[in-house]
C-alpha cells in the first residue's frame, strides 16, 4: 500500500513535563531516587553510551529523567529507542512517585519483570518492542492508575484478559502483534469493562471471534479501533460478521479491521456514524455490500475509506460525490459495475483514488480534472472505454497514473500531460491508445516508471524519452517501433532497472555491455531483430529470445545474479560454455545451432527449475552430473543428436513435471526405476529414439502423468495392463480445475509437445493442462490391447498405430468417453468394430485402417463423421462409409438402428459440449492469462522492488502482448 499521512487522532500528555534530554529544572533531585537510578544504570548494557549524562548529583538533569518540581522525586523515565539491553533491576520499584515509564524499542531480553506491578502510581507504561518475550505478567493489572499501556511486540503473548479489567483508568491500550490466540471470545467482554478506553490497538494478534451482539456496551469513548493486519502477518481471524453493536459506537473516529476474515454484509449503520473519519476493511474477501446502498448513506466526516479486496458489488451511485471530505478512497479489487459517476468531480479534497480491478465500463469522466489535489489515480483492469480525458492534464499534483488494461482508445497528445510536472508513474499499457506527440516535445515530468506497452508509438523510437533521466522501469513492449535503438538512449539509460522493449521491430547491433543501472534486474529484448553477439549483463533476468543474435553463448554469462536466461530462437553457434551461471533457475538455449556435448558442469546449476536445450545440434551422452539438478520441473533435450542411455543418476527428481528426450538417438531400455524417480511427472516424451525392450510396469507409479509419448522407438513386448492405473488419466478431466497448470513459469515457457492427430503433427502450445494422451505408435509391440486401458476414462488421445497388436478392439472402448483422437492403424487387430464406439461423442479423429477388422462398420452417431479412409485396408469390413456393401444388409441394419436410438439423443445434447471442448483446448491459454494477469499485476503493484515481482511482471506483459 502506498503510504498516506498517519492518522493520529489522540495524543494526550499525562505528565506536565515532557522530557527532553537535559531540560533544566530548578528543583534538586531526591538522593534516594538518585541511588535507584544509578543502580538501574548498573543493570543496563548501554553499548552506545547513551546515558553518559547520568552522573553528578542532580539526577533531574539526566537524560530522560524528570522530577516532581516540588519534592524532587523522580516521576518520569523516558528512554525509548536507545539500544539499551540486559536487565532491569528490581530496585526500580523504589521510585514510588514514578508516573511515566517508557522503555520502548530497546533490546532487553527475557520476560517483562513482574515487579513493574509495584510501581503503583504509574500512569504511562510503554514497553513496546523492548525486546521482552513470553507471557505478559497478569499482575500488571495492579496498576490501577494506568491510563496508557503499550506492550506491542510479536514476541509476547497473553492467554487471558481477566487482569486487564482491573485497569479501570485505561484510555489507551496497544497490544499490536501480541499473540492473543488463546484469549478466545472473552476479549470483547473484558474490554467492555474499560469505560474510558479511547484507543484500542490489537492489530495482528490472531484474535478469533467477535461477539456479534453485546447485552450492553460501555464503549462510550472509543474513538480508535485498530484490529487490522498491518503486515499481513499473524492477522486476526474473526470468521464472523461485523458486529452490530459497532455501528452504535458513535464516538468512533477511526476503524481498521482489515484482513481479518470478516464475513457477511457491511452494516449500513457505519455510514451514519457522526464522527467517523476513517474506515479500513480491506482484504476481507467475504465481506460484501451493494455500492448503491453503502454510498447512499451520509458519511458525514469520512476522509479515508478502504474497501479494497472485499466483495463490493452494484453501481456507484451519483451520491458518491457527496462524500466531499474524502481524501483517500480505495475500492480496488471488487465487483463494482457500471460507469464512474460524473459526480466524482465533487470530491475536491481527493488525493488517492483507486478503482482498479472492477467491472467498471464507459468513459473516464472528464470531471476528474476538477480533483486538483489528486496524486494517485488507479483505474487499471476495468473495461473503461472511450478516450483518455484531456482534463487529466490539469492534475498538477498527479504522481501516479495507472489506466492500464482497459479498453481505452483514441489519441494521447501533449495536452494530456500539460501540467503533470510531478508525474512519476505512467501506466497506460494494454489499451488501444495511439501516441500523437511531436518529436520536439519536452515532457513536463521526469518519469520513474513508464509503462506504455501495446500503445501505438512507432514507427520511430520516441524521441521525447531523451529528456527523461530518472527512468527505472521502461516498458515499451509491442509498441510498433521499428527503428534501431538510437545512441542517445544509452545515454539516459543509466538508471534503468527494468527494460522491456520486446515485440517490436527493433533492429541493429547493441552496445556491449548495455548501459543500465548497476542494480538492473530485468532486460527483455525478445521478439525483435537485434543482431550481433549476446551482450553480457549483470542482471537477474535476461530475455533475448527470438532475435538474430549470433556467435557463441558468452563464456561467463550469468556468473553473478542471473536467474532467468533465455537465448532461445537465435543463431547461436559453438558449444554450451562450461562456466555457466550457477544461480540460474531458468536456462533456455533452445532453437539455436549449438553443437558439442552438454557440459558436465551443468550439474553445478543446482537451482535450475527449467532447462531447455531442444532444437540444437548437441551430441554425445546425457551427462551423469545432470542427476544433481534435483529442483528441475522442466527438462527439454528434444531434437538434438544425443546418444547413449538415460544415466542411472537420473533417479531423484521430485519436482520434475516435463521430461522431453524426444527426437534424439538415445538407446537402452526404459529404466524400471522411472516410476519412483519422477513422482510429479506430467509429461514424458521419449519419442523417436532407439529405446528397446519392454515398457516397464512401473510406469503405473507416475501418478501425475498426463502425456506419455514413447512413439517411434524399438520397444517390444505387450502393452502393460498397468496403464489402466495411471491416476491422472483415469478420471474425467475437469476443464476448469486443471486450468491453473503449474507455476507461472510453465505458462511463459514454450511447451512444444507433439501429438498425432489426423496424421498431422500438431503443436500444442501451453494448453497442456487440458490434454491427456498416450502415444506408443511406431514400435514393435504385440499382444492384445489390455481391457484395463478402458479405465483411463479421462484419456483424450490414444495412438497405438504401427505395431503388431492383435486381438479385438475392447468391446467397452466407449468408456473412454473423452477420447478426441483414436489411432489403431497398421496393426493386426481382428474382429468387429464395437457398436459402442458410435457413442464416443468427442471423437474428432479415428483411424483403424490396415488391420484385419471385419463385419459391419457401426455407422451411426459419431461414426458417421468419418470417411472411408479411416477404415481402409481391412478386407473384412463392410457397409458405410466403405463402398463395399455387407451381404446381410437388411437384417443387421434394422437391428443396429434400434440399438442406437437412445444414444442418438445423447449425441444431440453433447454436440455442443464437443465444440466447447475444442474451444477450451484452443483458447485455454488466453483464458488462463485472463485470470492470471490481474493477479500478477496486483502483486507487483503492492510489492514493487523484488526481483521476483519484476520478473513476474515482465512475464505478465509478455503474456498480455501475446494475447493480442
Ligand atoms: C509544578 O508543576 C505543576 C504541574 O506540573 C505546575 O502546575 C506548577 O506550577 C509547577 N510549580 C512550579 C513551582 O514550577
Ligand atoms: C447527495 O447527492 C444527491 C445527488 O447528488 C443529492 O440529491 C443529495 O441532496 C445529496 N445529499 C446530501 C446529504 O448532500
Ligand atoms: C478539504 O481540505 C481542506 C484542507 O485540509 C479542509 O480545510 C476542508 O475542510 C476540506 N473539505 C472538506 C469538504 O472536508
Ligand atoms: C463503451 O462501452 C459501452 C458498453 O459496453 C458501449 O455502449 C459504448 O458504445 C462504448 N463506447 C465507446 C466510445 O466505445
Amino acid at each position: 500500500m502506498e503510504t498516506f499521512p498517519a492518522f493520529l487522532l489522540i495524543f494526550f500528555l499525562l505528565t506536565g513535563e515532557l522530557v527532553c534530554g537535559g531540560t533544566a529544572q530548578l528543583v534538586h533531585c531526591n538522593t534516594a531516587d538518585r541511588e535507584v537510578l544509578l543502580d538501574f544504570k548498573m543493570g543496563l548494557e548501554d553499548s552506545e553510551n547513551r546515558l553518559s549524562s547520568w552522573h553528578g548529583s542532580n539526577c533531574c538533569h539526566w537524560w530522560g529523567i524528570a522530577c516532581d518540581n516540588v519534592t524532587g522525586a523522580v516521576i518520569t523515565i523516558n528512554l525509548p529507542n536507545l539500544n539499551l539491553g540486559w536487565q532491569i533491576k528490581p530496585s526500580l520499584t523504589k521510585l514510588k512517585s514514578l508516573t511515566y515509564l517508557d522503555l520502548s524499542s530497546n533490546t532487553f531480553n527475557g520476560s517483562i519483570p513482574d515487579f513493574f506491578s509495584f510501581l503503583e502510581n504509574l500512569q504511562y507504561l510503554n514497553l513496546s518492542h523492548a525486546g521482552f518475550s513470553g507471557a505478559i505478567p497478569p499482575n500488571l493489572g495492579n496498576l490501577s492508575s494506568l491510563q496508557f499501556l503499550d506492550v506491542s511486540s510479536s514476541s509476547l503473548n497473553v492467554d487471558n484478559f481477566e487482569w486487564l479489567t482491573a485497569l479501570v483508568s485505561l484510555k489507551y491500550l496497544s497490544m499490536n502483534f501480541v499473540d492473543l490466540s488463546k484469549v478466545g471470545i472473552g476479549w470483547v467482554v473484558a474490554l467492555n469493562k474499560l469505560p474510558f478506553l479511547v484507543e484500542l490497538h490489537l492489530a495482528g494478534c490472531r484474535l478469533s471471534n467477535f461477539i456479534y451482539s453485546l447485552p450492553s456496551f460501555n464503549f462510550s469513548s472509543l474513538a480508535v479501533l485498530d484490529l487490522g493486519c498491518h503486515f499481513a502477518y499473524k492477522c486476526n481471524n474473526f470468521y464472523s460478521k461485523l458486529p452490530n453493536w459497532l455501528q452504535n459506537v458513535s464516538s468512533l473516529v477511526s476503524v481498521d479491521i482489515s484482513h481479518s476474515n470478516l464475513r457477511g454484509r457491511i452494516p449500513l449503520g457505519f455510514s451514519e456514524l457522526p464522527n467517523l473519519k476513517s474506515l479500513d476493511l480491506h482484504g476481507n474477501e467475504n465481506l460484501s455490500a451493494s455500492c448503491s446502498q453503502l454510498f447512499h448513506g451520509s458519511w458525514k466526516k469520512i476522509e479515508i475509506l478502504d474497501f479494497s479486496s472485499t466483495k463490493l458489488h452494484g453501481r456507484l451511485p451519483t451520491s458518491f460525490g457527496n462524500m466531499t471530505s474524502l481524501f483517500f478512497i480505495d475500492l480496488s479489487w471488487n465487483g463494482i459495475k457500471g460507469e464512474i459517476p460524473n459526480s466524482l468531480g465533487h470530491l475536491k479534497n481527493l488525493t488517492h483514488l483507486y478503482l482498479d480491478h472492477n467491472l467498471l465500463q464507459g468513459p473516464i469522466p472528464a470531471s476528474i480534472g476538477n480533483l486538483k489535489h489528486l496524486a494517485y489515480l488507479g483505474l487499471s483492469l476495468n473495461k473503461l472505454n472511450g478516450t483518455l480525458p484531456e482534463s487529466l492534464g490539469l492534475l498538477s499534483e498527479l504522481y501516479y497514473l495507472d489506466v492500464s488494461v482497459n479498453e481505452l482508445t483514441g489519441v494521447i497528445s501533449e495536452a494530456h500531460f500539460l501540467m503533470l510536472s510531478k508525474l512519476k508513474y505512467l501506466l497506460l499499457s494494454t489499451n488501444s491508445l495511439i501516441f500523437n506527440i511531436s518529436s520536439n516535445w519536452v515532457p513536463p515530468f521526469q518519469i520513474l516508471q513508464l509503462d506504455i506497452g501495446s500503445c501505438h508509438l512507432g514507427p520511430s523510437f520516441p524521441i521525447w524519452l531523451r529528456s527523461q533521466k530518472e527512468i527505472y522501469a521502461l516498458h515499451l513492449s509491442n509498441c510498433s517501433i521499428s527503428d534501431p535503438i538510437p545512441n542517445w538512449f544509452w545515454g539516459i539509460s543509466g538508471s534503468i532497472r527494468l527494460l522491456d522493449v520486446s515485440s517490436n521491430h527493433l533492429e541493429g547491433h547493441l552496445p556491449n555491455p548495455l548501459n543500465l543501472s548497476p542494480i538492473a534486474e530485468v532486460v527483455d529484448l525478445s521478439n525483435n531483430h537485434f543482431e550481433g553477439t549476446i551482450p553480457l549483463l549483470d542482471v537477474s533476468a535476461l530475455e533475448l529470445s527470438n532475435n538474430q543474435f549470433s556467435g557463441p553463448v558468452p563464456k561467463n554469462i550469468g556468473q553473478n545474479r542471473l536467474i532467468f536466461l533465455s537465448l532461445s530462437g537465435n543463431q547461436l553457434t559453438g558449444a554450451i560454455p562450461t562456466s555457466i551461471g550457477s544461480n540460474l533457475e531458468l536456462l533456455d538455449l533452445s532453437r539455436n545451432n549449438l553443437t558439442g556435448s552438454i557440459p558436465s558442469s551443468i550439474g553445478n546449476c543446482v537451482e535450475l527449475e527449467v532447462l531447455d536445450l531442444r532444437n540444437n545440434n548437441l551430441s554425445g551422452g546425457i551427462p551423469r552430473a545432470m542427476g544433481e539438478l534435483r529442483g528441475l520441473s522442466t527438462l527439454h533435450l528434444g531434437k538434438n543428436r544425443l546418444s547413449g542411455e538415460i544415466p542411472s543418476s537420473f533417479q531423484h527428481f521430485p519436482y520434475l513435471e516435463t521430461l522431453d528426450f524426444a527426437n534424439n538417438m538415445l538407446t537402452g531400455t526404459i529404466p524400471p526405476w522411472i516410476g519412483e524417480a519422477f513422482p510429479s511427472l506430467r509429461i514424458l516424451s521419449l519419442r523417436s529414439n532407439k529405446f528397446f525392450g519392454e515398457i516397464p510396469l512401473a510406469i503405473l507409479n507416475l501418478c501425475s502423468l498426463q502425456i506419455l509419448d514413447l512413439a517411434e522407438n524399438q520397444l517390444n513386448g505387450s502393452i502393460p495392463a498397468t496403464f489402466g492405473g495411471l491416476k491422472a488419466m483415469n478420471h474425467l478431466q475437469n476443464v476448469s480445475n486443471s486450468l491453473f497448470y503449474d507455476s507461472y513459469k510453465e505458462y511463459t515457457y514454450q511447451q512444444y509437445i507433439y501429438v498425432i492427430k489426423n496424421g498431422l503433427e500438431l503443436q500444442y502450445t501451453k494448453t497442456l493442462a487440458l490434454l491427456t494422451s498416450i502415444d506408443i505408435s511406431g514400435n514393435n509391440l504385440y499382444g492384445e490391447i489390455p481391457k484395463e486401458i478402458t479405465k483411463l476414462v479421462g484419456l483424450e488421445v490414444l495412438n497405438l498405430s504401427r505395431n503388431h497388436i492383435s486381438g479385438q478392439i475392447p468391446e467397452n472402448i466407449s468408456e473412454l468417453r473423452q477420447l478426441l483422437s483414436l489411432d489403431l492403424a497398421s496393426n493386426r487387430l481382428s474382429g468387429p468394430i464395437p457398436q459402442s464406439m458410435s457413442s464416443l461423442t468427442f471423437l474428432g479423429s479415428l483411424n483403424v485402417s490396415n488391420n484385419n477388422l471385419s463385419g459391419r462398420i457401426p455407422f451411426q452417431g459419431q461414426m458417421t463423421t468419418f470417411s472411408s479412409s479411416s477404415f481402409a485396408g481391412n478386407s473384412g469390413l463392410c457397409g458405410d462409409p466403405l463402398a463395399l456393401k455387407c451381404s446381410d444388409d437388411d437384417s443387421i441394419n434394422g437391428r443396429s438402428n434400434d440399438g442406437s436410438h437412445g444414444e442418438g439423443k445423447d449425441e444431440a445434447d453433447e454436440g455442443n459440449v464437443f465444440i466447447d471442448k475444442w474451444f477450451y483446448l484452443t483458447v485455454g491459454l488466453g483464458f488462463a492469462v485472463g485470470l492470471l494477469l490481474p493477479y500478477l499485476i496486483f502483486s507487483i503493484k503492492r510489492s514493487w522492488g523484488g526481483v521476483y515481482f519484476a520478473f513476474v511482471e515482465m512475464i505478465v506483459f509478455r503474456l498480455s502482448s501475446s494475447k493480442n
Side-chain angles (χ1 to χ4, degrees):
M1 289 280 337
E2 283 72 16
T3 49
F4 54 92
F7 199 65
L8 269 185
L9 287 155
I10 287 155
F11 196 82
F12 50 94
L13 301 177
L14 290 160
T15 57
E17 301 101 319
L18 225 206
V19 181
C20 301
T23 307
Q25 278 185 303
L26 293 171
V27 70
H28 205 273
C29 92
N30 177 319
T31 334
D33 284 3
R34 181 175 170 274
E35 296 307 312
V36 173
L37 289 177
L38 285 175
D39 191 42
F40 173 70
K41 187 187 175 188
M42 297 277 282
L44 298 179
E45 194 175 71
D46 177 18
S47 49
E48 296 170 15
N49 206 15
R50 308 297 285 269
L51 302 185
S52 56
S53 66
W54 282 36
H55 60 80
S57 59
N58 194 354
C59 67
C60 300
H61 290 174
W62 294 357
W63 176 274
I65 303 299
C67 303
D68 183 289
N69 58 7
V70 177
T71 64
V74 171
I75 55 171
T76 294
I77 298 180
N78 187 19
L79 301 172
N81 217 348
L82 294 179
N83 208 7
L84 298 174
W86 206 27
Q87 55 156 299
I88 293 170
K89 295 258 188 123
S91 58
L92 190 71
T93 59
K94 293 187 189 149
L95 298 177
K96 287 296 174 206
S97 305
L98 198 66
T99 57
Y100 187 107
L101 177 59
D102 185 346
L103 299 174
S104 61
S105 302
N106 280 301
T107 55
F108 296 103
N109 45 30
S111 45
I112 296 178
D114 57 3
F115 53 75
F116 280 149
S117 63
F118 297 115
L119 295 166
E120 55 206 21
N121 286 315
L122 218 49
Q123 295 175 17
Y124 180 107
L125 177 60
N126 190 345
L127 302 176
S128 62
H129 309 291
F132 296 117
S133 56
I136 295 176
N139 63 7
L140 289 185
N142 296 345
L143 300 172
S144 56
S145 307
L146 210 56
Q147 297 180 28
F148 180 107
L149 175 63
D150 189 346
V151 285
S152 300
S153 161
S154 57
S155 356
L156 293 169
N157 62 68
V158 171
D159 289 354
N160 181 330
F161 259 24
E162 209 39 48
W163 58 274
L164 266 171
T165 61
L167 298 176
V168 287
S169 312
L170 214 54
K171 292 181 178 169
Y172 180 106
L173 174 63
S174 175
M175 291 193 165
N176 289 338
F177 319 118
V178 174
D179 185 349
L180 301 180
S181 55
K182 298 219 178 88
V183 170
I185 203 160
W187 67 276
V188 184
V189 179
L191 295 168
N192 197 19
K193 292 184 180 152
L194 303 176
F196 304 112
L197 202 61
V198 176
E199 284 201 35
L200 175 62
H201 297 270
L202 300 176
C205 290
R206 295 199 188 154
L207 284 171
S208 52
N209 295 315
F210 235 124
I211 297 180
Y212 187 65
S213 55
L214 278 177
S216 65
F217 75 87
N218 297 322
F219 294 114
S220 54
S221 317
L222 192 64
V224 178
L225 177 63
D226 176 7
L227 304 173
C229 194
H230 302 207
F231 307 107
Y233 165 72
K234 294 207 304 187
C235 295
N236 295 320
N237 241 323
F238 293 118
Y239 301 108
S240 65
K241 298 207 267 189
L242 261 171
N244 260 335
W245 51 265
L246 212 49
Q247 54 181 329
N248 297 330
V249 183
S250 60
S251 52
L252 278 174
V253 175
S254 164
V255 175
D256 177 353
I257 321 183
S258 57
H259 276 292
S260 298
N261 222 332
L262 292 168
R263 281 140 202 277
R265 286 180 183 282
I266 300 173
L268 297 180
F270 272 111
S271 66
E272 305 304 329
L273 285 173
N275 297 303
L276 195 65
K277 290 188 171 179
S278 170
L279 178 60
D280 184 352
L281 298 174
H282 85 269
N284 288 287
E285 287 167 9
N286 293 307
L287 201 56
S288 69
S290 140
C291 285
S292 52
Q293 292 174 350
L294 192 65
F295 298 120
H296 195 68
S298 115
W299 297 105
K300 216 165 161 193
K301 295 193 178 162
I302 199 74
E303 295 178 352
I304 298 177
L305 268 183
D306 192 344
F307 291 123
S308 74
S309 299
T310 59
K311 259 194 197 145
L312 297 191
H313 49 86
R315 290 158 190 275
L316 293 173
T318 310
S319 52
F320 186 63
N322 290 9
M323 297 189 279
T324 49
S325 312
L326 269 183
F327 66 80
F328 177 103
I329 185 161
D330 189 346
L331 305 178
S332 60
W333 287 74
N334 278 289
I336 306 173
K337 293 190 298 208
E339 302 200 356
I340 302 174
N342 207 37
S343 61
L344 179 74
H346 297 153
L347 305 179
K348 295 243 164 42
N349 274 6
L350 218 50
T351 58
H352 294 67
L353 172 63
Y354 298 106
L355 299 172
D356 308 79
H357 198 272
N358 279 290
L359 305 167
L360 294 167
Q361 25 167 263
I364 298 174
S367 67
I368 209 157
N370 298 339
L371 308 179
K372 293 282 185 287
H373 299 287
L374 201 62
Y376 293 83
L377 176 60
L379 301 175
S380 65
L381 296 152
N382 281 291
K383 297 184 162 123
L384 299 170
N385 66 3
T387 56
L388 203 61
E390 263 183 27
S391 60
L392 275 177
L394 304 175
L395 302 178
S396 56
E397 295 295 317
L398 205 59
Y399 177 83
Y400 175 95
L401 171 62
D402 183 1
V403 296
S404 53
V405 197
N406 276 291
E407 293 163 12
L408 299 170
T409 50
V411 171
I412 304 270
S413 65
E414 292 161 33
H416 285 97
F417 306 106
L418 193 62
M419 295 167 72
L420 306 190
S421 60
K422 296 192 176 164
L423 197 67
K424 292 288 172 195
Y425 296 85
L426 178 60
L427 295 90
L428 305 176
S429 67
T430 322
N431 284 291
S432 305
L433 296 166
I434 300 168
F435 271 70
N436 184 4
I437 277 175
S438 89
S439 60
N440 53 10
W441 181 54
V442 179
F445 48 74
Q446 281 292 334
I447 209 80
L448 290 176
Q449 182 179 356
L450 182 64
D451 183 354
I452 47 181
S454 81
C455 291
H456 192 284
L457 250 77
S460 8
F461 200 86
I463 294 174
W464 50 269
L465 275 183
R466 196 167 183 169
S467 61
Q468 303 298 303
K469 307 270 162 54
E470 299 172 8
I471 307 180
Y472 83 86
L474 179 63
H475 296 271
L476 296 178
S477 162
N478 194 17
C479 289
S480 324
I481 308 173
S482 45
D483 272 354
I485 296 183
N487 273 334
W488 57 256
F489 179 78
W490 304 113
I492 63 148
S493 60
S495 55
I496 294 184
R497 294 167 55 184
L498 250 131
L499 176 64
D500 177 3
V501 295
S502 63
S503 302
N504 284 292
H505 307 285
L506 296 165
E507 56 190 34
H509 291 251
L510 292 168
N512 189 2
L514 304 182
N515 175 34
L516 298 176
S517 159
I519 50 168
E521 297 286 5
V522 180
V523 172
D524 186 347
L525 309 178
S526 63
N527 299 308
N528 281 294
H529 309 301
F530 290 117
E531 310 163 57
T533 53
I534 298 286
L536 256 180
L537 282 176
D538 183 21
V539 290
S540 302
L542 184 58
E543 163 59 292
L544 303 178
S545 62
N546 302 318
N547 278 289
Q548 288 148 26
F549 288 111
S550 55
V553 178
K555 272 210 166 47
N556 294 311
I557 196 158
Q559 280 298 336
N560 299 322
R561 292 186 289 142
L562 205 61
I563 59 172
F564 178 114
L565 174 62
S566 176
L567 305 178
S568 162
N570 282 290
Q571 293 152 16
L572 303 177
T573 50
I576 300 173
T578 52
S579 55
I580 209 140
S582 56
N583 296 322
L584 283 172
E585 291 175 16
L586 182 146
L587 175 60
D588 184 355
L589 303 176
S590 64
R591 298 185 297 119
N592 281 291
N593 299 319
L594 299 175
T595 49
S597 54
I598 303 173
S600 291
S601 56
I602 198 106
N604 301 334
C605 303
V606 290
E607 306 291 330
L608 271 182
E609 290 174 28
V610 176
L611 176 60
D612 191 344
L613 304 177
R614 89 194 108 152
N615 284 41
N616 279 292
N617 268 316
L618 298 169
S619 53
I622 300 172
R624 282 190 64 79
M626 237 184 207
E628 300 301 316
L629 305 178
R630 303 270 155 85
L632 276 184
S633 72
T634 301
L635 175 60
H636 286 286
L637 302 179
K639 289 219 170 167
N640 278 292
R641 296 191 292 127
L642 299 171
S643 54
E645 302 192 1
I646 301 178
S648 58
S649 61
F650 257 62
Q651 297 213 17
H652 302 284
F653 289 94
Y655 311 109
L656 195 67
E657 300 195 347
T658 302
L659 178 61
D660 164 22
F661 289 159
N663 298 293
N664 278 292
M665 300 183 301
L666 296 170
T667 183
T669 55
I670 300 176
W673 41 257
I674 201 163
E676 273 77 49
F678 314 119
S680 309
L681 205 64
R682 297 174 76 145
I683 299 167
L684 174 61
S685 180
L686 304 180
R687 184 185 192 84
S688 290
N689 277 288
K690 295 176 178 165
F691 290 108
F692 55 80
E694 300 197 359
I695 300 175
L697 298 181
I699 255 180
L700 164 74
N701 297 333
L702 295 173
C703 56
S704 305
L705 200 67
Q706 274 177 264
I707 296 190
L708 174 64
D709 188 350
L710 306 177
E712 317 297 339
N713 277 290
Q714 293 151 20
L715 298 171
N716 56 29
S718 53
I719 303 172
T722 55
F723 268 14
L726 286 169
K727 287 208 181 55
M729 302 189 195
N730 67 13
H731 56 83
L732 295 179
Q733 302 298 311
N734 182 338
V735 170
S736 57
N737 280 349
S738 55
L739 251 167
F740 283 100
Y741 176 50
D742 190 22
S743 63
Y744 62 95
K745 277 185 196 159
E746 283 292 334
Y747 277 108
T748 68
Y749 211 64
Q750 290 268 311
Q751 286 278 9
Y752 306 100
I753 202 84
Y754 299 95
V755 293
I756 302 298
K757 186 184 172 288
N758 291 339
L760 290 172
E761 243 188 12
L762 284 192
Q763 199 178 49
Y764 279 85
T765 307
K766 299 169 178 173
T767 52
L768 292 175
L770 311 169
L771 197 69
T772 51
S773 155
I774 292 181
D775 187 346
I776 49 179
S777 64
N779 280 291
N780 298 320
L781 299 169
Y782 50 79
E784 303 198 353
I785 301 176
K787 287 199 299 295
E788 289 79 0
I789 213 162
T790 62
K791 289 187 187 147
L792 299 178
V793 293
L795 193 63
E796 289 162 324
V797 176
L798 178 60
N799 190 345
L800 307 179
S801 66
R802 288 171 294 115
N803 280 291
H804 312 295
I805 298 167
S806 55
Q808 303 202 356
I809 300 175
E811 179 57 38
N812 53 352
I813 192 139
S814 62
E815 284 171 23
L816 300 180
R817 41 181 302 232
Q818 294 195 319
L819 267 189
L820 305 170
S821 169
L822 176 64
D823 191 347
L824 305 174
S826 303
N827 276 295
R828 297 174 188 161
L829 293 167
S830 55
I833 298 177
Q835 284 288 332
S836 68
M837 275 182 66
S838 55
S839 69
L840 288 172
T841 45
F842 293 150
L843 199 62
S845 161
L846 173 70
N847 192 350
V848 295
S849 64
N850 300 313
N851 278 290
N852 297 324
L853 297 170
S854 56
R856 173 182 292 280
I857 296 171
F859 197 66
Q860 65 222 8
Q862 191 64 25
M863 295 297 273
T864 59
T865 61
F866 304 116
S867 69
S868 60
S869 62
S870 295
F871 306 99
N874 288 284
S875 52
L877 282 180
C878 63
D880 290 337
L882 296 177
L884 185 69
K885 286 215 179 313
C886 296
S887 53
D888 53 351
D889 240 0
D890 297 339
S891 59
I892 294 177
N893 222 355
R895 208 171 61 220
S896 62
N897 279 349
D898 284 352
S900 70
H901 212 75
E903 282 164 11
K905 199 163 154 246
D906 256 9
E907 178 213 341
D909 288 339
E910 286 186 334
N912 291 330
V913 184
F914 177 59
I915 292 163
D916 286 349
K917 186 83 185 178
W918 276 103
F919 177 73
Y920 275 121
L921 266 170
T922 48
V923 302
L925 177 72
F927 183 26
V929 169
L931 295 176
L932 268 173
L933 182 67
Y935 173 72
L936 294 178
I937 288 184
F938 179 62
S939 330
I940 300 151
K941 291 253 168 73
R942 304 254 154 176
S943 37
W944 179 262
V947 59
Y948 174 79
F949 289 109
F951 170 54
V952 168
E953 188 200 37
M954 187 119 276
I955 286 154
V956 166
F957 282 93
R958 172 129 28 79
L959 283 174
S960 62
S961 44
S962 70
K963 228 176 27 161
N964 302 329

